[in-house]
Amino acid sequence: MLGNENLLKESSIAIVGSRDSTEYGEQVTKYFTKELVLRDVVIVSGAARGIDYYSHKTCLENSGKTIAVLGNGLNEIYPKQNIELAKQIIKSGGCIISEYPIGTKPEKLNFPQRNRIISGLSQGVLVVEAGEKSGSLITVDFALEQGREVFVVPGNITSENSKGTNNLIKQGAKLVTNCEDILV
């Protein structure tokens, strides 16, 4: 772990979603992240492109605290375009964690395992955008196994990025349209 380990004891919500986020997904992520930060909720995500990036970045822009969970060793930030973001997370009092030893490369099989830590650190998981076979759905499965609540933002019924989220709502996940839906 790098950074502020005390964040692991704080109230937190995981925000996950598509790496190839749409403009809608970005806007929704920024909205929910800002509102949660204003209520002193720590934001947990996976430091990936797309929704993860926007949740961490928006959290920092609003003076919040965030935890990034890596699918590789702490000596390497993946994707590389998030190196500056990782530095800002540590500088702002956040933390970066990984269960993988130094030197572990970002291999495809590591990321589903990383997702169980994202959900495990959080009181609930907010899914912003997810396709039918999204890794975010793996995070949801872990969250349910761990007794965490799953919150889902409804999406455009014609968007591939919303098929997974809309199916989660059909299966009984809590549909959310504002921060109060999460914090009640």
Side-chain angles (χ1 to χ4, degrees):
M1 175 182 357
L2 300 171
N4 183 358
E5 68 183 54
N6 292 326
L7 291 183
L8 301 176
K9 301 171 192 164
E10 302 283 329
S11 294
S12 63
I13 294 289
I15 301 178
V16 299
S18 178
R19 288 186 304 273
D20 297 317
S21 57
T22 64
E23 186 177 329
Y24 169 75
E26 293 168 21
Q27 289 173 348
V28 169
T29 301
K30 290 175 181 180
Y31 165 75
F32 276 101
T33 301
K34 180 179 179 181
E35 292 300 315
L36 289 165
V37 165
L38 291 174
R39 290 161 175 85
D40 295 321
V41 175
V42 174
I43 303 300
V44 180
S45 200
R49 292 179 293 124
I51 300 304
D52 290 11
Y53 172 82
Y54 290 107
S55 65
H56 291 304
K57 181 91 170 126
T58 304
C59 181
L60 296 173
E61 290 170 349
N62 289 279
S63 303
K65 300 293 185 235
T66 188
I67 299 170
V69 183
L70 304 182
N72 49 270
L74 289 170
N75 62 308
E76 185 172 344
I77 300 301
Y78 177 81
K80 293 204 181 298
Q81 62 258 40
N82 286 352
I83 290 173
E84 191 56 40
L85 177 67
K87 290 177 184 176
Q88 290 174 4
I89 289 171
I90 298 301
K91 186 178 178 182
S92 72
C95 74
I96 300 174
I97 67 172
S98 175
E99 70 177 323
Y100 296 102
I102 298 294
T104 303
K105 298 291 181 195
E107 297 178 24
K108 189 174 184 177
L109 294 176
N110 297 355
F111 293 95
Q113 288 303 308
R114 174 230 26 205
N115 293 353
R116 82 184 194 294
I117 297 172
I118 292 171
S119 60
L121 290 174
S122 308
Q123 281 70 51
V125 175
L126 172 63
V127 185
V128 176
E129 283 187 317
E132 280 186 297
K133 297 183 189 276
S134 171
S136 298
L137 303 179
I138 295 170
T139 310
V140 167
D141 289 341
F142 284 124
L144 293 172
E145 287 175 16
Q146 296 162 338
R148 306 301 192 253
E149 194 152 5
V150 176
F151 308 101
V152 181
V153 177
N156 180 333
I157 64 170
T158 64
S159 172
E160 290 297 317
N161 276 10
S162 295
K163 288 187 176 185
T165 48
N166 290 342
N167 283 337
L168 287 171
I169 293 167
K170 286 181 188 178
Q171 294 169 15
K174 184 171 182 181
L175 182 151
V176 296
T177 58
N178 58 54
C179 195
E180 287 71 30
D181 293 338
I182 296 171
L183 298 175
V184 170

